[in-house]
Amino acid sequence: MYFEFYKTIKDKRRWLVVLLIILVPMIELALTWYTDCADYFHCPEYYPNGLEPRDLYAPAMGSFLSGANIGHIGQMLIIWLMPIYIFLFYTDSYMQEKSYHYSTIYFSKTERKTVYRNKALMSFLFMAGINFVSLLLNHILALIFFHNGTNIEGVNPDWVTEPFLHWCLTNLEGGYLIFLLSYCAMVGLYAVFCMNLAFIFHDRKIVYAIGIIMWIVMIMNPYSITYAMQPFIEYGLKYFLIAWCIVLGLVLISYCLVKLTWEKKDEI
């Protein structure tokens, strides 16, 4: 496993993916803050006491996953394109090893189950970890930029009857943390799914196509996985859990296919 980790971080091209995943939420945060304060910058005479807490987003509302910025361009660049980052950062490495026949050497020294376990585990840890660091930094900066902000976009928690959403709106930091962890874990599991595709098909065109199409379908279907990624939206715990069932089911099915089609093959 250490070899997998060292080999991956040694490739400087992969750090471009990390840089993108970290920078885009930061830029989105700056744009959200500027948009939130634009009236004050252009018409300071209307704010004799400066910006008050009600004039600023609550930090959790101004953070990346909440999607407060108009247009949601940052979210589209990161969330919608996440499978591409997964492939470029790590999943593609196995298909490259196959094309160069490096895997023959691995399987001559290591059990197939161990190879799969290491690849799947590193897929999860890399993508969940990179996104966690990015979103944590983004939220820490949001706590600074939107310090003491209380604006939750006009939503009155007392009017919300769904228990889970009501709790999130009355415990903004706790609610945001739940969705932050949910998002990171979901991305990590989808990275495992993409690695499973690589073990099953080996062909880049097939793997990329299935990985990207399945992600888009899961985002756009009536029980979108974004309901377990974006906090403070009108969908409650039911849709949160259904989104998780979809992702877990997909990973489980792909794992079963790996067991049936890959682990029993003679790689050499």
Side-chain angles (χ1 to χ4, degrees):
M1 189 180 298
Y2 174 77
F3 173 74
E4 286 289 329
F5 178 79
Y6 178 76
K7 179 183 66 174
T8 302
I9 65 171
K10 186 179 178 181
D11 189 342
K12 294 181 179 179
R13 293 172 298 179
R14 289 173 175 152
W15 284 98
L16 293 176
V17 175
V18 178
L19 190 63
L20 186 64
I21 292 175
I22 292 176
L23 281 182
V24 170
M26 300 306 173
I27 296 172
E28 182 90 347
L29 175 65
L31 291 174
T32 301
W33 178 78
Y34 178 80
T35 302
D36 202 28
C37 302
D39 286 344
Y40 173 73
F41 293 144
H42 293 115
C43 304
E45 63 274 13
Y46 296 136
Y47 299 84
N49 298 320
L51 287 171
E52 297 184 9
R54 68 173 181 269
D55 299 318
L56 285 173
Y57 282 125
M61 281 288 181
S63 297
F64 180 71
L65 289 179
S66 298
N69 192 39
I70 297 174
H72 309 293
I73 296 175
Q75 285 192 325
M76 292 179 183
L77 288 174
I78 296 298
I79 297 176
W80 283 72
L81 300 180
M82 184 54 66
I84 295 176
Y85 306 137
I86 290 172
F87 289 127
L88 292 178
F89 186 81
Y90 188 66
T91 304
D92 194 70
S93 64
Y94 175 71
M95 291 180 285
Q96 187 174 19
E97 291 166 4
K98 282 286 297 181
S99 63
Y100 292 143
H101 302 291
Y102 292 158
S103 56
T104 303
I105 301 174
Y106 297 155
F107 292 119
S108 66
K109 298 180 179 179
T110 309
E111 290 185 2
R112 299 172 68 82
K113 291 182 180 179
T114 302
V115 172
Y116 171 76
R117 184 177 65 246
N118 290 345
K119 292 282 188 183
L121 182 59
M122 295 308 297
S123 295
F124 179 86
L125 293 177
F126 274 131
M127 296 314 301
I130 291 168
N131 281 276
F132 177 77
V133 170
S134 172
L135 294 178
L136 183 62
L137 288 174
N138 175 266
H139 187 56
I140 290 172
L141 289 177
L143 290 169
I144 298 171
F145 275 73
F146 298 101
H147 181 62
N148 288 331
T150 59
N151 181 9
I152 56 174
E153 297 186 318
V155 178
N156 187 340
D158 294 333
W159 298 344
V160 177
T161 58
E162 205 284 326
F164 180 61
L165 179 57
H166 180 270
W167 185 88
C168 289
L169 289 170
T170 53
N171 300 270
L172 293 175
E173 292 301 316
Y176 189 81
L177 179 61
I178 288 174
F179 280 86
L180 187 155
L181 294 175
S182 174
Y183 171 80
C184 294
M186 194 168 280
V187 169
L189 285 173
Y190 199 76
V192 174
F193 168 73
C194 291
M195 182 58 74
N196 289 347
L197 291 178
F199 276 105
I200 295 167
F201 296 107
H202 309 309
D203 188 295
R204 278 191 176 93
K205 293 180 182 179
I206 297 176
V207 172
Y208 273 60
I210 296 176
I212 293 171
I213 291 172
M214 286 301 302
W215 183 257
I216 293 174
V217 168
M218 290 195 301
I219 286 178
M220 297 185 68
N221 83 85
Y223 296 98
S224 173
I225 58 171
T226 58
Y227 300 155
M229 295 178 176
Q230 184 174 350
F232 316 126
I233 55 178
E234 63 270 25
Y235 303 95
L237 183 61
K238 172 185 173 182
Y239 287 85
F240 181 93
L241 295 177
I242 290 175
W244 262 104
C245 288
I246 291 172
V247 173
L248 290 173
L250 191 68
V251 174
L252 180 60
I253 291 171
S254 65
Y255 172 71
C256 291
L257 290 175
V258 170
K259 296 283 288 185
L260 290 172
T261 64
W262 183 79
E263 283 195 359
K264 295 180 180 180
K265 286 183 179 179
D266 181 2
E267 186 73 17
I268 298 177

